[in-house]
Amino acid sequence: MTWKDRWLRAAVIGCAAALVGVPALGMVPAAATPAPGARVTVDGTTLKLDGSPWWPTGFNAYQLATNWSVNYGCGAMVDLDRYFSTLPAHSMTRFNAFQALATNKFTGHLDFGPMDAVFAAAEAHDQLVVPVLAAQDGACEGDVFKDRQWYLDGWSTTPTSGLSFQDWTAVAVDRWKNSPALAAWELVGEPETSTCTDAACHWSTRTCTPDAAQILRSFFDTAGAQIRALDTRTLITAGLTGGGQCGSQGDEYKYLGESPVVDVLQYHDYGADGVPLPGDQWNGLARRITQSGEVGKPLLVAEIGELAGSCVSLTDRAAHIQTKIDGQRTAGSAGALLWAFVPDPRPGECTFDIGFDDPLWQVLE
């Protein structure tokens, strides 16, 4: 048995008991709604926390599981206790829970220490987290873009090293499904089923096939069913950008939202500073809120980003985002997360950075 075989066996053996009596992964019948018992639930187009209405705010803090003594990281290390204790009570944080961040850079084996620490700190301060299990662009995991073929079968195919995405999902869900800090699972951040036409898969050269939405829906249905088989209670959120990307254009967004294992939809808001409902009549936020209402599910504006620093003052950015949050909440969104908290902001540059001293913390309060 090779080291990779031992790694794979050790990683998935903990999931075996949960899968006893369950059909093969990819063939699991999906329950229409999560089973009761989770802290975070849905009530139509709104969220609830511990049974009470909840309109969460918080940050994207993608770097939380970075620990340079264990993994290669994804940005700078974060003082986890400081971060979670500084947040307003019962905030939501979306963070990278990638396989690479659970891999020891010295041994090549799974090492859950850095990610366990994120959950432990969130639990200690009674905060809520959304683990994102992979990124569309492959950030911090080799920077390989996930194309149409990946959504067809690449996600379930074991690579030359490490686990397949399907196996990593099973490992992660089984390990952290009982955490009281867990708000929802997110399979892929900003998924799209584009076809690459060059080695770099540059956005300007990608194409989109007529079956792109069907492929993405099949992925949601199958991979989401795997999560629900292992964790019957926790919500699943589709990490859709919402702006008309391949596989989720126009009415396709609603089609994806009709998946029985998608509980919360998303929209990511950039490039329209101070405008509460950006975008056009086909792919704008107002349309997405309407579509979410039509399928009876909440829409979380999971990324609101505005450049600031050398280009715009932090105070002006805070005012713009306050206007956005107020308008989006009035229009029917289910929460707002800002992009992005970092422990080492660059005030002399034009960036999306939000440090500890940024006035956006007061906006969240």
Side-chain angles (χ1 to χ4, degrees):
M1 181 181 291
T2 67
W3 72 264
K4 177 175 176 290
D5 294 329
R6 288 194 295 271
W7 182 27
L8 177 61
R9 181 176 183 276
V12 301
I13 196 167
C15 301
L19 292 172
V20 171
V22 175
L25 296 180
M27 301 176 63
V28 179
T33 56
R39 295 190 66 192
V40 180
T41 56
V42 297
D43 183 5
T45 59
T46 62
L47 293 168
K48 286 188 170 184
L49 175 63
D50 298 329
S52 297
W54 186 45
W55 203 90
T57 60
F59 293 108
N60 290 270
Y62 59 89
Q63 300 167 305
L64 293 186
T66 294
N67 185 329
W68 295 326
S69 68
V70 177
N71 56 40
Y72 287 106
C74 191
M77 291 178 62
V78 178
D79 182 332
L80 297 175
D81 281 320
R82 182 185 179 192
Y83 172 74
F84 284 113
S85 65
T86 305
L87 287 170
H90 297 149
S91 294
M92 178 186 284
T93 297
R94 188 166 166 257
F95 80 100
N96 292 353
F98 303 164
Q99 181 182 166
L101 296 171
T103 301
N104 188 297
K105 65 183 178 182
F106 301 106
T107 67
H109 298 169
L110 288 179
D111 187 332
F112 299 111
M115 220 165 287
D116 283 344
V118 176
F119 280 93
E123 291 169 11
H125 298 285
D126 198 17
Q127 302 288 2
L128 286 301
V129 296
V130 176
V132 182
L133 299 176
Q136 172 65 34
D137 61 2
C140 302
E141 288 199 294
D143 298 317
V144 178
F145 184 85
K146 295 172 177 57
D147 63 2
R148 176 180 181 275
Q149 193 63 44
W150 188 88
Y151 287 96
L152 280 170
D153 57 20
W155 69 278
S156 59
T157 303
T158 302
T160 55
S161 63
L163 306 177
S164 68
F165 176 76
Q166 183 182 54
D167 287 335
W168 167 242
T169 297
V171 169
V173 171
D174 192 60
R175 185 171 188 86
W176 295 296
K177 64 185 178 183
N178 294 318
S179 171
L182 180 62
W185 294 107
E186 184 173 330
L187 286 159
V188 179
E190 301 192 331
E192 61 174 273
T193 42
S194 297
T195 300
C196 298
T197 60
D198 62 81
C201 200
H202 192 267
W203 68 268
S204 63
T205 62
R206 297 173 201 155
T207 60
C208 191
T209 58
D211 61 354
Q214 288 77 16
I215 292 170
L216 190 53
R217 170 66 184 269
S218 178
F219 169 76
F220 281 155
D221 288 349
T222 307
Q226 171 184 345
I227 290 180
R228 189 133 298 160
L230 291 165
D231 179 357
T232 60
R233 305 179 307 168
T234 303
L235 301 178
I236 299 171
T237 178
L240 298 167
T241 308
Q245 286 68 33
C246 183
S248 59
Q249 302 174 50
D251 291 339
E252 293 172 346
Y253 184 92
K254 178 180 176 181
Y255 168 66
L256 297 173
E258 291 170 337
S259 170
V261 285
V262 169
D263 304 302
V264 181
L265 290 160
Q266 287 188 22
Y267 184 90
H268 297 177
D269 180 358
Y270 294 91
D273 301 346
V275 178
L277 300 176
D280 57 32
Q281 60 184 312
W282 302 282
N283 297 296
L285 179 53
R287 177 64 178 144
R288 298 309 185 212
I289 291 174
T290 297
Q291 290 173 313
S292 298
E294 290 170 349
V295 299
K297 297 178 181 181
L299 183 145
L300 174 70
V301 184
E303 295 184 17
I304 301 177
E306 180 178 338
L307 294 167
S310 62
C311 49
V312 176
S313 74
L314 300 184
T315 301
D316 285 348
R317 176 172 68 177
H320 296 164
I321 291 181
Q322 180 72 69
T323 299
K324 276 185 176 289
I325 290 175
D326 291 344
Q328 291 169 5
R329 185 170 187 173
T330 299
S333 66
L337 305 181
L338 309 185
W339 186 276
F341 168 80
V342 298
D344 53 347
R346 297 159 290 177
E349 300 177 33
C350 186
T351 73
F352 293 109
D353 296 354
I354 303 170
F356 277 113
D357 298 325
D358 198 290
L360 280 168
W361 286 82
Q362 283 68 55
V363 171
L364 296 188
E365 291 176 354

